[in-house]
Amino acid sequence: MNNSVKKLNSKDRVKMIGLDFGSTTSSAMVAVAGVGLNSVTGRMALGDPEVIYRSDSVFTPFDGEMIDEFRLKDYLERWLDESKVKNDDLFSGGVIITGLAARQTNAEAIARLVRERVGEAIIATADDPNLESWLAFMGCSSTLSRHHPDLSIINLDIGGGTTNPAIGKAGQVNETGCFYVGARHFQFEPGSYLIKHVSYYGQKLMDHFSITKKRGDFLDPPEIDMILDFYIAALEAMVMGDLSFFNSPIAKLHQQTPFDMNSKQTETAITFSGGVGELIYQCAQGKNLPGTTYYGDLGIDLALRIVDSPILSSHIQILRPENMGRATVYGLTLHNTEISGSTMFLPNPDVLPLGDIPIVARLRINGNLDEVVHVFSIAQKSPKGACIQIIANPGTKNEKQILSAPSCEPFAIIKGLGIRLAEGLKRVSFSPDIPLIILAPDNYGKTLGNYATNWRQSSTNLIVIDEIPDRNAHFVNIGRLHNNIVPVSFYGVH
C-alpha cells in the first residue's frame, strides 16, 4: 500500500475491512483506497489509503475460556452499523483470530458470526502466527522502514498471549516468528496481584520457578520479578538473534515458531506494537500509565521493564511507528491484499469468491512437461481446488529487482508454458467442478489461460490470475470481480 499509484476517478476507489480478535482485545477498521497502476512496480495496486472507521478496542468477550457469542455479535453489529458497511460495498477484507480466541470452537463461532453478517467477501484466519507477525510489521513499521531503507527494523508485536517478531528492510519483511510471551498469561483482580486465572504457559513458568500459588492467592514481588525477568530475557534473545536461549525446556515451550534473522545486520532498530507496545511509547513520552494491574494483567509491568532494558529500549525515543496498538488490524485491512491485473483468464466470474484454496506447488515458468504433470498430480488430490504459483527465476532476484517494475517474459516462453500446461491437463484430468488456479507474476494471464485450455476447449475449471507477486504462503483467497480485477489474499505465511 503506497502513494505511487496513479490516481483514478472515484468509482475506482474500493472499500476494505479488517477484524482482529485476540486474547485480550478485539477491534475493527474500515478503509478506502484507489486502484490503479503503481508507477514503481508497473502492477495494479491499492494506493492513497484513507481509514474511514476505527472502532474502539474492546475486551474480547469470553465466558470462561469460550467466546461469548451474544456479546461478540453485539460488538460486530455495532462496528458495522457505525462504519455503515454493507456486504455489497466490500472489495476485500479479513478476520484474524489469535490466542485464546483461536481455540477451534471459538474460531468457528467467530467465523460463522462474521460470515452471517458480512458474507463471503472476507476470510477468517485462525492462529496464523507468522501472518500475524507480518501484518503487525506492515501495519506498524512498513512506512518507517521505507523512510529508512538502509536500516533493518525488528518489530515486536506484544499482546496478551504472544509476542510476534518480524524483521524487515525497505518495507519488505524478511523473517517472522511467534512466542508465547504476553501480558495475559497471568490475570489478576485489577489493582492487585490476586490471581484470577493462569494460562497453560503461565502455569508451566510458575512450575519452573517453584511458585506454588493458585487462583485466589497473591503473587509476591519476588515471584513477579522472576516471571518478568524471564519475559525480558526472551525478548532480548529475540532481538539479539540468540537462538541458544530457546534451547532450555522452559524457553523452548514458549517458542511457537522460531525467529531466525538468518543474516548479520549492519544496523538494527527495534519498534513495538500491540497493546503492550502502546504502553511502552506512552511511558517513553513521559505520560502517566494506569495503576497496578489496571487491565487485570502484567501489561503495565512488562512495558515498564521493557523501557528499563537498554537492549530493548534503544530506539523508542528515536523511532515512533504508526498504529501501534492497532498494527495487526491495520496491516490486515490495508496490506494483506494483492490486486490482480486486468488481463487474467477468468471464463466464469460467477465461481468467485473462492476461499481457503491450498497453494500446492511452485512451478518454474520454463518447467518441463514432467514437472507440469507432477504438479498437476499433486493439485488433483485437493478436493476443494488447488493453486499453483508460477515463478520465473526462483531464489535469484535481489532486493532491487523485486522492488522494480516487472519485465514480462518473452512470448515464446509464455506460449511454451501454455502448451505444456495443455498437455498436462490431457494427462491429468480435473473435475470441471473443482477450480484450478494459477498465479502468474506478470501480465500474461489471458494468453497463458487460452493456450493451456486450447482456447477454452478444455473442460478444466482453470483460472489464471496475473500480476500477483510471489508470496510464501500455504493458502490463497480470491474475492469477487470488480472492474476487471480481483483481490487476492494470502495466509499460512511461512
Side-chain angles (χ1 to χ4, degrees):
M1 183 74 63
N2 55 65
N3 295 320
S4 302
V5 175
K6 293 180 181 179
K7 293 183 179 179
L8 303 178
N9 58 47
S10 59
K11 75 175 184 179
D12 292 301
R13 290 184 70 77
V14 295
K15 186 175 290 186
M16 302 160 290
I17 188 171
L19 300 164
D20 180 12
F21 299 95
S23 297
T24 308
T25 60
S26 298
S27 61
M29 181 177 290
V30 179
V32 294
V35 178
L37 286 176
N38 184 297
S39 60
V40 177
T41 67
R43 292 189 173 99
M44 295 294 288
L46 299 170
D48 295 325
E50 177 188 359
V51 176
I52 60 174
Y53 174 75
R54 299 175 193 257
S55 75
D56 294 330
S57 291
V58 298
F59 282 111
T60 302
F62 287 98
D63 183 4
E65 292 198 356
M66 302 309 297
I67 285 288
D68 186 329
E69 291 190 40
F70 292 104
R71 291 168 60 200
L72 184 67
K73 184 177 181 181
D74 287 342
Y75 289 141
L76 184 58
E77 292 284 354
R78 188 178 79 199
W79 295 337
L80 296 175
D81 289 343
E82 289 175 352
S83 64
K84 298 179 174 58
V85 163
K86 296 180 181 178
N87 185 15
D88 293 341
D89 295 338
L90 290 173
F91 175 67
S92 70
V95 185
I96 189 162
I97 310 165
T98 57
L100 291 175
R103 291 171 62 101
Q104 184 175 0
T105 306
N106 288 337
E108 290 171 356
I110 293 170
R112 185 182 67 255
L113 286 172
V114 170
R115 287 186 173 121
E116 285 175 356
R117 186 63 177 83
V118 184
E120 297 295 331
I122 63 177
I123 55 95
T125 300
D127 196 21
D128 192 343
N130 288 345
L131 175 62
E132 187 179 6
S133 302
W134 186 89
L135 292 172
F137 182 97
M138 297 303 293
C140 176
S141 300
S142 61
T143 300
L144 199 63
S145 178
R146 288 194 295 271
H147 287 169
H148 301 272
D150 297 324
L151 182 67
S152 292
I153 294 180
I154 299 174
N155 185 66
L156 297 178
D157 185 65
I158 309 176
T162 58
T163 292
N164 292 79
I167 185 168
K169 191 172 184 180
Q172 302 294 314
V173 176
N174 299 320
E175 186 64 36
T176 59
C178 181
F179 300 82
Y180 295 109
V181 174
R184 213 159 177 79
H185 291 292
F186 297 87
Q187 296 178 37
F188 308 100
E189 186 68 37
S192 73
Y193 293 102
L194 176 68
I195 300 173
K196 291 181 63 178
H197 179 75
V198 178
S199 75
Y200 169 81
Y201 297 97
Q203 186 60 57
K204 289 296 184 181
L205 196 56
M206 291 175 66
D207 294 343
H208 174 74
F209 290 123
S210 301
I211 299 173
T212 58
K213 302 295 178 62
K214 59 185 184 300
R215 181 176 178 177
D217 294 334
F218 287 89
L219 281 184
D220 297 324
E223 296 167 333
I224 296 166
D225 284 341
M226 285 191 287
I227 293 166
L228 292 173
D229 285 346
F230 174 81
Y231 285 164
I232 293 299
L235 294 172
E236 290 178 345
M238 291 177 212
V239 302
M240 294 174 66
D242 181 9
L243 302 179
S244 64
F245 175 87
F246 296 98
N247 289 336
S248 72
I250 187 62
K252 184 176 291 186
L253 178 70
H254 282 74
Q255 177 179 267
Q256 183 176 7
T257 58
F259 180 55
D260 186 356
M261 292 186 282
N262 207 25
S263 63
K264 294 182 179 179
Q265 308 297 329
T266 54
E267 185 180 1
T268 304
I270 303 167
T271 58
F272 298 91
S273 59
V276 174
E278 203 155 15
L279 293 170
I280 289 168
Y281 289 105
Q282 287 180 26
C283 182
Q285 292 175 334
K287 297 180 180 179
N288 292 327
L289 297 184
T292 302
T293 63
Y294 178 84
Y295 300 107
D297 55 32
L298 288 175
I300 296 167
D301 301 81
L302 186 57
L304 291 171
R305 289 290 299 271
I306 289 171
V307 172
D308 286 339
S309 165
I311 294 173
L312 298 172
S313 65
S314 57
H315 290 84
I316 58 175
Q317 299 288 356
I318 304 170
L319 299 176
R320 180 174 169 79
E322 57 186 347
N323 305 305
M324 290 160 291
R326 303 169 186 266
T328 301
V329 72
Y330 190 91
L332 183 66
T333 308
L334 294 176
H335 293 283
N336 196 43
T337 301
E338 302 288 353
I339 306 299
S340 75
S342 58
T343 56
M344 61 184 161
F345 182 77
L346 182 63
N348 180 16
D350 291 338
V351 302
L352 302 179
L354 292 170
D356 302 335
I357 303 297
I359 300 173
V360 298
R362 292 153 64 86
L363 177 66
R364 296 180 302 118
I365 194 168
N366 58 349
N368 60 38
L369 180 58
D370 287 341
E371 291 178 82
V372 171
V373 171
H374 175 68
V375 165
F376 281 176
S377 298
I378 296 172
Q380 185 194 39
K381 297 175 183 178
S382 180
K384 64 182 302 181
C387 178
I388 298 166
Q389 288 181 301
I390 302 298
I391 50 176
N393 296 297
T396 61
K397 285 188 176 183
N398 58 38
E399 183 176 283
K400 184 176 180 181
Q401 289 172 317
I402 291 171
L403 294 176
S404 64
S407 55
C408 192
E409 299 287 348
F411 174 74
I413 291 179
I414 298 166
K415 178 181 177 180
L417 176 61
I419 292 172
R420 292 190 296 277
L421 292 177
E423 181 60 30
L425 290 176
K426 290 180 182 178
R427 299 189 185 189
V428 182
S429 61
F430 285 83
S431 166
D433 298 325
I434 297 176
L436 175 62
I437 300 160
I438 292 178
L439 300 182
D442 302 317
N443 62 339
Y444 51 76
K446 195 160 290 189
T447 300
L448 185 63
N450 278 319
Y451 273 105
T453 60
N454 193 21
W455 271 259
R456 306 196 183 191
Q457 297 302 306
S458 170
S459 63
T460 304
N461 185 6
L462 181 71
I463 301 169
V464 183
I465 300 177
D466 58 7
E467 297 192 35
I468 301 297
D470 188 19
R471 287 269 294 274
N472 288 324
H474 292 296
F475 296 91
V476 67
N477 297 273
I478 302 164
R480 298 187 186 95
L481 187 68
H482 172 88
N483 290 345
N484 296 316
I485 59 172
V486 295
V488 179
S489 302
F490 296 84
Y491 69 99
V493 176
H494 56 94

